[in-house]
Amino acid sequence: MPAPADSHDLIRVQGARENNLKDVSVELPKRRLTVFTGVSGSGKSSLVFGTIAAESQRMINETYSAFLQGFMPTLARPDVDVLDGLTTAIIVDQERMGANPRSTVGTVTDAAAVLRIVFSRLAQPQIGGPQAYSFNVASVSGAGAITTERAGKQVKERKTFTVTGGMCPTCEGRGTVVDIDRTALYDDSKSLNEGALTIPGITMDGWYGRIYRESGFFDPDKPIRDYTATELDDLLHKEATKLRISGINLTYLGLLPQVRKTFLAKDREAMQPHIRAFVDRAVAFTTCPDCGGTRLAEAARNSRIGEVSIADACAMQITDLRDWVHGLDEPSVAPLLGALRHSLDSFVEIGLGYLSLDRPSGTLSGGEAQRVKMIRHLGSSLTDVTYVFDEPTIGLHPHDIARMNTLLLQLRDKGNTVLVVEHKPEAIAIADHVVDLGPRAGTAGGEVVFEGTVEGLRAADTLTGRHLDDRARLKDVVRTPTGVLEVRGASEHNLRDVDVDVPLGVLVVVTGVAGSGKSSLVHGSVAGRDGVVVVDQGAIRGSRRSNPATYTGLLEPVRKAFAKANGVKPALFSANSEGACPTCNGAGVVYTDLAMMAGVATTCEQCEGRRFDDAVLEYHLGGKDVSEVLSMPVSEAVEFFAAGESAVPAAARIVARMVDVGLGYLTLGQPLTTLSGGERQRLKLATHLGGDGGVFVLDEPTTGLHLADVEQLLGLLDRLVESGTSVVVIEHHQAVMAHADWIIDLGPGAGHDGGRVVFEGTPAQLVADGSTLTAQHLAAYVGR
């Protein structure tokens, strides 16, 4: 007779209503691989991440003391009736890593920590413990008197101490030194009172401006070009100095230390666009002349195992580093070498052998970041854990997807529950259980339309089932280029002096295995040119007050139209300005902070979640108030803004572009924080469609797209090319490759095994050629 404990082999979800879910109930088998699929925006992430994983994490946090919970992120209970049979959830998502310039692939995976201990034991000359090889630890020394009590007497002793760290003292472990262009900080023909400073965030009316104007170090009415040497030095270089201004104690800091502290402590990728533009304009980063960019002090660079220093080891491609570590045979550190070998083997297994440990983690793509996070879990001894993956095949060539599938099955076979949100047919095929959400997106989605096996899904009459065996055909006729964009001697990262002509006026696909050099070629040699518009996968920065209407610039003409129709000022029609409901300040909800308990968000009673003051809602445009316009789906807004008394041509153009990129189901006022990664990239694309760019560069636009949506994307790319725009796409999806007019295939492998153009030509020529990995997978896909 089975034990009662063995009966708990299901995760049961009943009545899930997060975001657009409509009372969803599912039963998921434990210790199996379950794939969640459905069109973009159908509710997959709401069910997997917003409900199952969120509740598991919240319940684990509740096992800690109230004191500890006060330091942890507070998680609200998901909107669900019953969640039963949960196990500990480990989320491996696509959030980019590291907003810290000190963070590298080695530091985030702990491989560098083990390597430092190995060097501290084996390297010659010996210079100290593991911290002597760490670029994050500075060398310090000190001396002084200390008082201790012995046998009832106080005894004074003189003590000295030293800490040997591996940080390069010149660049402070960053690998680069900063040169700041002063002309970008101020206009020397103006005085401070005339607004001479041109640094973002420093205005003469704000506190920073008051500190500079009232510091007494210089005359605020004197043009900066007339400053004496002492005054200019105080303005630019003065270190932190306490001042009393208007009766308040404040700290004065010169412009250069202020810029370093405010802007340069952050990773460039994490900055807002206007600040990034300022930093690019004002700051030049050059390789540190002392450490040569290795970040390490001289002693650490000169301490070697054989001929290899820790700087050399971290700069090696991981496949080479693995071979070197496998060649070390030292019984005294055998367990350490075993752990390091396992970690490096995991990198290679997962398809990241082309990285190096000194690669800054902020430069990894979303897919690479997700796979780096996986490395921590591959060697884990934990079982009966729920692993949750968000499209683990993103950024992977079809050749690499098979390896990823093997890893997911290994995690399952150790006795874990694996939940995967996925669109690729190759990844859906390995599922033990499939949950298909739909039938459509947004308000037309949020229901389970199929639950069962992959074979059952193929036979089911759902959008996913009908498209699962879709195969694109090669084009019979390809377009003729109108010119070429020449790339000569491209050598960024692993590129080997690549010369290639990118055809203009056609659809060009740049492909190749992960790490072959596609992004290096396109972003390094094509993206910076005049007339080139890049739409990448970087996150949209926006608070819960931001929505598609504010992000695309749609709200501006709509506010003006409301103001003109009603004879009032436009600011009334902004929930972030004068028109905001006074109770909730235009948020639509009232947040109550409950310390270490999850905060509670309740719909504002005065405006009933509409975000605007009652008086504002009495003004109408085309029979609708501004809150009704913002709650309209994009597809409905197209007709609303197109004709009649509600005609707003500027708004009509923007919503038409959003429909073009497949976002017709979003509402105009939906918070940006609720959009998926694929939706965010397509929203960016919609904002650029109205621009003047002659060349569009898209970085994997099929990310997060359902098989049915890929067809719509191909139609959009065709329309772009036919309107005279050149389109360059970095892509692995075979349907996009088959649809291309010209393919540039990089390889043959990744890292130093790649970086060369292995094929240029039409898709039909690539399939006929058959010599590259891409050619073999494309031929299999189109059935040749």
Side-chain angles (χ1 to χ4, degrees), residues 207-473:
W207 275 110
Y208 283 125
R210 287 189 64 182
I211 291 170
Y212 285 108
R213 279 193 337 222
E214 300 177 31
S215 64
F217 297 133
F218 25 69
D219 180 355
D221 290 315
K222 183 158 81 172
I224 292 177
R225 64 161 66 126
D226 298 336
Y227 280 17
T228 64
T230 307
E231 288 174 331
L232 194 58
D233 187 68
D234 284 343
L235 177 68
L236 290 174
H237 302 290
K238 199 171 188 71
E239 290 300 331
T241 308
K242 296 282 187 217
L243 298 175
R244 192 166 180 82
I245 292 172
S246 303
I248 300 170
N249 291 328
L250 297 167
T251 303
Y252 175 94
L253 200 57
L255 291 181
L256 297 180
Q258 185 73 55
V259 167
R260 287 194 181 93
K261 176 185 164 189
T262 309
F263 302 117
L264 304 188
K266 288 183 187 161
D267 184 44
R268 181 186 173 279
E269 303 305 315
M271 295 173 181
Q272 291 173 294
H274 71 288
I275 291 177
R276 191 184 310 164
F278 164 74
V279 170
D280 290 346
R281 190 171 68 246
V283 181
F285 295 92
T286 51
T287 303
C288 173
D290 284 5
C291 67
T294 61
R295 305 166 177 246
L296 291 160
E298 187 177 4
R301 300 197 304 274
N302 292 336
S303 176
R304 291 183 164 85
I305 299 176
E307 296 295 310
V308 177
S309 71
I310 192 166
D312 300 331
C314 288
M316 282 182 195
Q317 186 167 307
I318 286 172
T319 46
D320 299 340
L321 179 61
R322 177 188 66 161
D323 296 342
W324 179 73
V325 171
H326 276 280
L328 294 177
D329 183 21
E330 186 59 54
S332 63
V333 290
L336 277 173
L337 290 174
L340 186 55
R341 283 173 192 139
H342 181 272
S343 183
L344 297 174
D345 286 341
S346 297
F347 270 104
V348 178
E349 275 177 39
I350 210 163
L352 293 177
Y354 59 88
L355 297 178
S356 59
L357 294 186
D358 63 2
R359 168 92 173 255
S361 56
T363 64
L364 299 179
S365 70
E368 286 171 335
Q370 186 173 27
R371 297 201 291 287
V372 166
K373 291 174 194 170
M374 273 184 83
I375 286 166
R376 285 176 171 268
H377 307 302
L378 289 178
S380 169
S381 306
L382 292 171
T383 61
D384 267 330
V385 169
T386 300
Y387 285 98
V388 186
F389 292 96
D390 187 6
E391 287 191 66
T393 59
I394 277 183
L396 287 186
H397 188 271
H399 166 71
D400 300 309
I401 291 176
R403 292 160 92 175
M404 175 60 74
N405 284 349
T406 306
L407 292 167
L408 293 173
L409 293 171
Q410 278 175 8
L411 280 175
R412 177 202 67 185
D413 293 344
K414 278 171 59 179
N416 297 306
T417 307
V418 181
L419 307 181
V420 183
V421 172
E422 192 50 87
H423 292 293
K424 295 267 172 71
E426 303 96 318
I428 296 171
I430 63 164
D432 301 309
H433 188 72
V434 179
V435 177
D436 189 16
L437 283 112
R440 289 283 172 180
T443 52
E447 299 171 38
V448 174
V449 291
F450 174 81
E451 198 178 350
T453 63
V454 178
E455 288 311 310
L457 177 64
R458 279 201 169 90
D461 188 29
T462 70
L463 204 57
T464 309
R466 290 197 296 273
H467 287 274
L468 198 56
D469 293 317
D470 275 4
R471 291 294 178 266
R473 288 190 325 109

Side-chain angles (χ1 to χ4, degrees), residues 166-196:
M167 179 188 286
C168 167
T170 306
C171 63
E172 297 183 347
R174 291 168 184 265
T176 54
V177 287
V178 173
D179 186 24
I180 299 175
D181 177 7
R182 297 177 188 182
T183 60
L185 305 184
Y186 56 79
D187 178 350
D188 68 357
S189 65
K190 294 181 179 176
S191 68
L192 289 179
N193 280 341
E194 290 168 338

Side-chain angles (χ1 to χ4, degrees), residues 20 86 90 109 117 164 215 220-221 263 306 327 333 359 374 377 405 427 488 498 675 677 718 742 756 764:
N20 66 333
L86 290 179
I90 293 176
T109 56
I117 303 173
T164 305
S215 64
D221 290 315
F263 302 117
V333 290
R359 168 92 173 255
M374 273 184 83
H377 307 302
N405 284 349
R488 295 290 177 265
V498 169
L675 300 191
D718 276 343
W742 192 260
R756 291 191 290 271

Side-chain angles (χ1 to χ4, degrees), residues 15 20 49 192 352 356 424 493 582 626 648 706 708 723:
N20 66 333
F49 291 94
L192 289 179
L352 293 177
S356 59
K424 295 267 172 71
H493 298 315
V626 67
V648 184
H706 187 265
S723 70

